[in-house]
Amino acid sequence: YGNDTLCLMAIGALYEEMGQRWENTQSLESAIETYDFLVREYPRSKFRRQAGLAIARIYRDDLKRPEEAIRHYERFVADNPRAPELKDAVQAIAEIQAAQKAQETAREAKRKEPEAAVSADPAPASQTDTPSNLALVSGVRHWVTPDYTRVVIDVGTDVKYGVGRVGNPP
């Protein structure tokens, strides 16, 4: 099953790349499902550890779900006590827990601030604070024929665009 697991890793990596590039949660969750399938269905695969760490990393870095990340790092540690990546997994757990503790400390400090210290009249937001001048892309579609390629980008507002050709390679 070497080719099967290699293909699953490639599929998971593609979903992960799509999710990161376009900030698409659904693609990131598809990557997790693919990696999880590999771990579950091919427990003797040489890619099992790599897939398990990828799941934890996606939860931590991309989906910003530290509890899920910790759960998967801890599962990795329990399932792979002699893995070369063990130290990295333990360090990742410690970093996530330290960040959570720092956030909790900051929340506690904010709760204890006297009400007088809180400004009742906040400064107005600058133009750069809101992306109102940016168009929201809601979809990208493409068609390829022997004669041309068409790309359609769906946006919520009118936008200025340019048409061009890439010369080398064409």
Side-chain angles (χ1 to χ4, degrees):
Y1 55 70
N3 287 337
D4 293 349
T5 57
L6 180 61
C7 289
L8 286 169
M9 284 301 292
I11 292 166
L14 286 171
Y15 277 130
E16 188 175 351
E17 174 79 18
M18 286 170 35
Q20 291 167 343
R21 185 167 294 192
W22 293 297
E23 296 178 8
N24 183 304
T25 302
Q26 186 176 359
S27 293
L28 293 167
E29 289 173 354
S30 293
I32 289 170
E33 289 173 16
T34 302
Y35 291 137
D36 188 53
F37 180 83
L38 187 154
V39 169
R40 190 178 61 250
E41 298 297 323
Y42 297 93
R44 297 180 193 261
S45 168
K46 65 181 179 181
F47 299 113
R48 178 183 47 81
R49 290 194 319 260
Q50 187 179 349
L53 286 174
I55 293 168
R57 184 184 63 247
I58 291 169
Y59 278 123
R60 176 185 183 180
D61 299 337
D62 301 311
L63 296 175
K64 308 294 187 216
R65 291 167 42 189
E67 295 300 327
E68 286 291 320
I70 288 174
R71 189 168 66 82
H72 283 277
Y73 279 122
E74 286 175 342
R75 184 169 111 189
F76 178 86
V77 169
D79 292 347
N80 303 283
R82 293 192 174 100
E85 307 91 347
L86 185 68
K87 184 178 176 183
D88 294 335
V90 171
Q91 182 177 349
I93 293 168
E95 289 171 0
I96 294 168
Q97 289 172 335
Q100 288 177 317
K101 186 171 183 160
Q103 287 175 344
E104 183 59 34
T105 303
R107 279 193 293 268
E108 282 294 320
K110 191 169 186 158
R111 272 190 237 131
K112 293 179 182 179
E113 284 180 6
E115 286 188 33
V118 178
S119 171
D121 194 15
S126 70
Q127 287 254 291
T128 58
D129 288 345
T130 59
S132 61
N133 60 339
L134 298 178
L136 177 65
V137 174
S138 58
V140 177
R141 298 169 282 147
H142 72 281
W143 296 266
V144 179
T145 72
D147 300 324
Y148 66 91
T149 299
R150 175 176 293 178
V151 177
V152 176
I153 302 171
D154 300 318
V155 292
T157 60
D158 290 338
V159 295
K160 293 182 180 179
Y161 65 94
V163 176
R165 194 176 274 266
V166 178
N168 188 11

